[in-house]
Amino acid sequence: MFKPFRTAAVLGAGVMGSQIAAHLANAGLTVHLLDIPASEDNKKAIVEAGWQKALQLKPPILFTEKTARRVTLGNFDEHLDRLADVDWIIEAVVENLAIKQQLMARIEGVVSQGTIISTNTSGLPVNEIARGLPLSFRQRFLGTHFFNPPRYLKLLELIPTEDTDTNILLRLEWFARLHLGKGIVVAKDTPNFIANRIGIYATMLGIKAFTDEEYTIEEVDTLTGTLVGRPKSGTFRTADLVGLDTLVYVAKNLYPAIPDDESREIFRVPALLTKLVETEALGAKAGRGFYQKERGEILALNPQTLAYEPAKSLDLGDLKSLRKLELADRLRALYQDRGRAGKFFRKYILSVLSYSAYRIPEITDSPAEIDRAMRWGFGWELGPFEIWDVLGFKTIVTDMQTADIPLADWIVKMIEQHQVAGFYQQDQVYTRDREYVVLNTPQDEIDLKAIKSHPENTIWENEEAALLDIGDGVVLYEFRSKGNTLSFKVMAGLIEVLNLLEDSDYRGMVIGNGDVNFCGGANLMEIGTLADTNELDASVVVLQFQKTLQRIHYFPKPIVAAVRGLALGGGCELVMACPQVVAAAESYIGLVELSVGLIPGAGGIMRMAAWAAEHAAKEMATQVQPFLQKVFETVGMAKVSNSAEEAQELGFLSPTAKVIMNSDRRLYVAKQEVIRLDLEGYAPIPNRDAIMVLGQPGKAALEHAAYVFQQGGYISQYDRFLANRLAYVLTGGEVSAPSLVSEDYLLQLERESFVPLLKEEKTRERIAHLLKTKKPLRN
């Protein structure tokens, strides 16, 4: 077992250095962020400016505002001695070999013998940066290539040198995966390492299709975006976000560094890109690049005039029907398409697959490492070799030969090995050594795909949910509805599995899934239909929802929610109801019902009222009021937490919830929580005797706050109406003075307020608008 890092130093407070420091602080480390001294009296002016600039970035780089307290600023002249006391030093100064070498020499003079030192470079030769320093230093030195933004992009490339001690590499790999939440790929010390080498190639291919092949910017972005399992930014929006000057810099440095690359010419910077940089059209940071936003309209570049024009209609055939297919089927259908879309995709993907194959063994020895790098670093749903398998190994080989696209030698040998059908077979991947190697799932992760491949593991299922046996006496209730919503079938299934669980020998249950988001809330389309029923029927549905969540909260066996990504509305109420929660750090949780013209109706208000009362120092109105005001603003503004830690601050997660950095571990950790609670002799949560509510005086204060917000132009008149309904329930309805009330009393108030809102015209407009546009309406 390795020892986790407690302290770190980041040298360089630029865009990457500041964000790396922030993410280390997110992970709980004490961090020293240093930069060169300023010439003025305040020698920390440069590092302070860099840090403050980073704190303004969106999305935010810190889990909570308090996290910033873990970062201490300094400069190289006055504070370099701090390096003697840290566990890990990350150098992140300007991409200049001489400057990095000089700084490494200074570090070597003060660093302790147990400290690991890494350089965050995106392309410089790692071996050269520490060359000439003592062997004892070089053995603790390696490259760490974080991807921007470090908090949100999973990939971390580790680049050991010829001298790096194996245990140093293993310790850093262990720590970064477990405590920073990273997906680790070990790369060879070659230009641009793995992800950028393949990613920049794919980007330049897309640009070439625009400049040389009569495809428009919009068409290229469509054919390299979500349609093919890539981020919606496609080629050109991504280039604008990265910065066209950065793209030119990378390509210009890469070209001379790869003299033996068979596709080297693709990295020669096209004249159009050079012209854009010369005219300071640098992308998003300059307000214009390949795209420009003008009066709310997105305009695209005309390559001849360099003017920006309205988007041209796509001449790509019927893509609407393609988008309805699952990704694998979509890729196959697009590859077979006989129109312009298929022509582009075939040429593009054959080139990318050929190039990726040729990079083995140059940049790595395994196709799986390239696939992981592209998924984790560039947001591809499938890596190059996974795509190759989806399209058909032999089909791609035949088409490459027909199109005279070169095949890597190891692929040729693979073809000669007659039984090879693709790169992946079950849990194995083919390597250039002409053998399949087992791809091991880490022991602290649960492979749902493998579990579901065995029918006996499915205990119960309907069209939108399933109960799975995940071993050791623990079951998993998995949502399978669209958006993982709490549809009527999901809720009906939950009632069935609770009955089954209570009468079984199973220890307990995890609620979760393998998707990016935990739960998008109630199914709004179904909720909308309640407006057309009589109030009694609608009230029965809401009551059943409340009873089910209350049953979960007081269930005789441990139930643990395993949360990642979004948990909104009813999904948030489900999380709040679970006796224990394991949440990925990147969990975004909130009661957002007011944004669709409703208020929380499944216990969310009741639990938030209880949270406010229980956080007060004393059970007195003056003590409770500040916490209730915070709840009112949080729910009234439909605030969603920026992280699991902030969700704890806001009251959506309890202080006992386990927050983990690596989201892939959440199901495993949740399972272990069920086992732990069972072994401890689990007893249901004691019934809450009463909740203090503030009555009419408290309601008046909250209603006044809503009035002030409306007068300030922050909310609409209907928002204020909804806020008043929220205040009514939070403070106990018609209760005249501060009083103690039961959970059932507040739940009844929730129902009585929720159901009539369904019939409000403005609420129906909000629901319809969100279903149509995926954006909230403030009417």
Side-chain angles (χ1 to χ4, degrees):
M1 176 62 69
F2 296 108
K3 181 181 177 182
F5 301 124
R6 299 288 296 164
T7 57
V10 179
L11 310 184
V15 173
M16 285 302 294
S18 292
Q19 291 189 82
I20 292 170
H23 195 53
L24 294 175
N26 286 335
L29 278 72
T30 298
V31 185
H32 297 278
L33 177 62
L34 311 181
D35 210 320
I36 59 174
S39 56
E40 56 257 37
D41 292 339
N42 178 15
K43 288 195 171 184
K44 293 197 293 184
I46 291 175
V47 70
E48 287 172 352
W51 179 237
Q52 287 304 314
K53 185 177 180 181
L55 292 179
Q56 305 307 312
L57 291 173
K58 300 294 180 184
I61 62 175
L62 295 172
F63 287 166
T64 69
E65 290 182 5
K66 293 179 182 177
T67 308
R69 299 173 187 172
R70 299 189 187 120
V71 180
T72 302
L73 307 182
N75 64 77
F76 295 161
D77 281 3
E78 297 177 311
H79 307 110
L80 208 63
D81 59 324
R82 295 179 189 169
L83 304 188
D85 300 319
V86 301
D87 300 322
W88 181 14
I89 297 169
I90 303 174
E91 171 272 304
V93 299
V94 64
E95 286 283 273
N96 180 294
L97 181 59
I99 291 175
K100 287 180 181 286
Q101 288 173 330
Q102 291 165 15
L103 184 56
M104 283 299 158
R106 293 183 67 183
I107 294 170
E108 194 275 330
V110 296
V111 70
S112 66
Q113 287 298 311
T115 301
I116 293 176
I117 309 97
S118 69
T119 176
N120 185 68
T121 177
S122 59
L124 293 176
V126 176
N127 274 285
E128 292 301 316
I129 292 173
R131 191 171 296 283
L133 295 175
L135 178 62
S136 61
F137 182 93
R138 300 199 309 274
Q139 288 173 333
R140 295 176 285 126
F141 173 79
L142 72 165
T144 47
H145 183 207
F146 288 85
F147 274 65
N148 190 17
R151 172 182 167 182
Y152 298 98
L153 282 187
K154 184 174 180 177
L155 180 62
L156 173 61
E157 291 177 325
L158 298 182
I159 308 98
T161 72
E162 54 200 22
D163 297 313
T164 304
D165 186 288
T166 300
N167 284 327
I168 296 294
L169 175 65
L170 291 175
R171 182 185 178 194
L172 200 53
E173 187 173 354
W174 168 83
F175 179 83
R177 177 183 170 274
L178 197 67
H179 296 283
L180 298 183
K182 293 300 177 185
I184 306 299
V185 169
V186 178
K188 295 184 180 181
D189 190 9
T190 57
N192 284 54
F193 313 126
I194 297 177
N196 275 350
R197 185 72 173 275
I198 305 297
I200 296 299
Y201 175 84
T203 297
M204 299 304 279
L205 269 184
I207 293 174
K208 183 178 175 63
F210 171 56
T211 58
D212 297 1
E213 299 173 24
E214 298 184 349
Y215 284 90
T216 67
I217 284 179
E218 296 89 347
E219 287 173 337
V220 173
D221 271 356
T222 298
L223 294 170
T224 57
T226 55
L227 182 70
V228 294
R230 309 273 177 85
K232 63 181 180 181
S233 52
T235 295
F236 293 102
R237 291 186 195 279
T238 300
D240 276 355
L241 289 170
V242 169
L244 304 191
D245 52 339
T246 301
L247 182 59
V248 168
Y249 173 84
V250 171
K252 281 188 173 180
N253 280 278
L254 184 57
Y255 183 84
I258 50 172
D260 298 325
D261 189 315
E262 77 291 339
S263 300
R264 182 189 188 204
E265 290 305 309
I266 194 70
F267 297 104
R268 194 182 290 278
V269 179
L272 175 62
L273 197 50
T274 300
K275 194 178 296 183
L276 287 171
V277 172
E278 289 174 349
T279 57
E280 298 187 354
L282 306 179
K285 59 188 173 186
R288 61 191 179 97
F290 287 110
Y291 289 101
Q292 182 180 43
K293 189 173 184 179
E294 194 173 289
R295 292 188 292 275
E297 184 181 7
I298 303 296
L299 307 178
L301 181 75
N302 180 316
Q304 279 74 45
T305 65
L306 297 189
Y308 293 89
E309 302 172 347
K312 295 180 174 64
S313 58
L314 303 179
D315 181 20
L316 299 174
D318 180 19
L319 299 184
K320 190 175 181 179
S321 59
L322 277 182
R323 291 188 184 277
K324 296 178 182 177
L325 302 174
E326 293 296 321
L327 179 58
D329 293 330
R330 194 159 70 236
L331 292 175
R332 284 189 284 265
L334 184 59
Y335 189 80
Q336 297 299 327
D337 178 74
R338 294 296 100 189
R340 293 179 72 246
K343 180 181 178 183
F344 172 92
F345 183 63
R346 281 189 297 278
K347 182 175 182 179
Y348 175 86
I349 203 64
L350 288 174
S351 298
V352 169
L353 301 185
S354 171
Y355 190 76
S356 299
Y358 262 97
R359 300 288 67 79
I360 295 175
E362 180 193 352
I363 62 177
T364 181
D365 292 325
S366 172
E369 293 289 77
I370 291 179
D371 285 344
R372 292 187 187 112
M374 299 314 297
R375 291 200 313 270
W376 295 339
F378 276 76
W380 294 14
E381 290 184 43
L382 295 174
F385 297 98
E386 292 167 321
I387 293 172
W388 195 323
D389 276 2
V390 162
L391 296 177
F393 176 74
K394 292 180 179 178
T395 297
I396 294 299
V397 167
T398 300
D399 289 350
M400 283 184 178
Q401 292 170 331
T402 302
D404 201 26
I405 294 175
L407 280 168
D409 290 344
W410 70 279
I411 299 290
V412 174
K413 292 175 181 176
M414 188 176 175
I415 297 166
E416 294 169 353
Q417 199 169 340
H418 50 273
Q419 292 301 320
V420 173
F423 298 98
Y424 293 91
Q425 288 190 1
Q426 296 177 344
D427 61 346
Q428 298 181 320
V429 63
Y430 192 89
T431 69
R432 64 180 294 268
D433 295 324
R434 284 179 281 177
E435 63 179 358
Y436 282 97
V437 176
V438 175
L439 286 168
N440 291 319
T441 298
Q443 292 183 351
D444 60 353
E445 293 179 18
I446 289 178
D447 187 345
L448 275 185
K449 186 178 179 181
I451 287 173
K452 288 188 278 192
S453 68
H454 298 283
E456 65 271 17
N457 289 331
T458 300
I459 303 166
W460 172 95
E461 66 181 333
N462 66 15
E463 297 93 327
E464 297 188 356
L467 187 67
L468 304 174
D469 187 335
I470 56 175
D472 300 313
V474 181
V475 293
L476 168 70
Y477 187 64
E478 179 191 42
F479 308 154
R480 295 177 178 176
S481 53
K482 185 176 181 180
N484 294 322
T485 56
L486 298 178
S487 66
F488 294 161
K489 288 183 178 178
V490 168
M491 293 305 297
L494 191 48
I495 294 170
E496 285 195 50
V497 301
L498 288 174
N499 292 336
L500 188 156
L501 179 62
E502 191 163 9
D503 296 332
S504 73
D505 292 329
Y506 288 110
R507 297 174 185 265
M509 181 169 73
V510 174
I511 299 177
N513 54 65
D515 292 343
V516 173
N517 294 313
F518 175 75
C519 178
N523 183 313
L524 278 182
M525 192 167 290
E526 293 178 345
I527 292 295
T529 63
L530 292 179
D532 299 321
T533 64
N534 63 63
E535 288 198 9
L536 179 60
D537 289 342
S539 184
V540 169
V541 172
V542 178
L543 176 61
Q544 188 63 64
F545 205 126
Q546 291 178 336
K547 283 184 173 180
T548 303
L549 296 198
Q550 284 291 83
R551 187 180 178 193
I552 288 172
H553 191 67
Y554 294 114
F555 201 71
K557 295 182 180 181
I559 296 178
V560 180
V563 183
R564 170 172 70 174
L566 297 174
L568 304 178
C572 175
E573 291 176 296
L574 172 60
V575 170
M576 295 171 71
C578 286
Q580 177 60 314
V581 177
V582 172
E586 299 299 341
S587 293
Y588 316 117
I589 305 173
L591 295 170
V592 297
E593 284 86 350
L594 269 79
S595 65
V596 291
L598 299 168
I599 63 171
I605 298 178
M606 177 269 289
R607 296 188 206 287
M608 292 300 280
W611 178 87
E614 290 164 3
H615 273 69
K618 293 183 179 180
E619 212 169 59
M620 297 169 54
T622 54
Q623 300 284 321
V624 174
Q625 183 69 44
F627 293 98
L628 198 68
Q629 183 72 34
K630 180 179 179 180
V631 166
F632 181 66
E633 292 176 4
T634 297
V635 181
M637 299 301 289
K639 181 175 176 59
V640 176
S641 72
N642 158 57
S643 65
E645 283 190 18
E646 188 178 46
Q648 289 177 310
E649 291 184 358
L650 295 174
F652 298 139
L653 289 180
S654 75
T656 61
K658 290 194 175 297
V659 178
I660 58 173
M661 292 293 284
N662 192 320
S663 64
D664 292 339
R665 302 178 61 243
R666 69 195 182 284
L667 294 176
Y668 172 85
V669 176
K671 174 184 171 181
Q672 298 308 309
E673 278 295 284
V674 170
I675 294 172
R676 177 185 68 81
L677 292 167
D678 176 63
L679 291 175
E680 289 176 356
Y682 183 75
I685 292 174
N687 288 335
R688 186 181 278 120
D689 295 329
I691 299 169
M692 184 179 186
V693 295
L694 300 188
Q696 294 298 320
K699 179 161 77 75
L702 298 184
E703 287 180 344
H704 178 71
Y707 167 77
V708 171
F709 266 80
Q710 186 199 359
Q711 292 300 303
Y714 297 106
I715 62 175
S716 69
Q717 184 176 346
Y718 193 60
D719 287 326
R720 181 183 168 194
F721 167 74
L722 294 169
N724 287 345
R725 298 313 301 163
L726 172 64
Y728 176 81
V729 179
L730 269 176
T731 56
E734 299 299 332
V735 173
S736 61
S739 307
L740 295 175
V741 300
S742 68
E743 289 187 339
D744 286 342
Y745 175 79
L746 287 179
L747 288 173
Q748 182 178 343
L749 287 182
E750 284 188 21
R751 288 196 307 278
E752 291 174 350
S753 296
F754 182 92
V755 174
L757 287 174
L758 289 169
K759 296 185 179 297
E760 291 283 345
E761 187 61 34
K762 288 187 181 295
T763 291
R764 299 178 76 155
E765 289 173 2
R766 289 189 177 196
I767 291 174
H769 187 270
L770 186 66
L771 288 171
K772 182 178 180 180
T773 68
K774 310 299 182 188
K775 296 179 181 178
L777 171 68
R778 285 295 172 118
N779 53 356

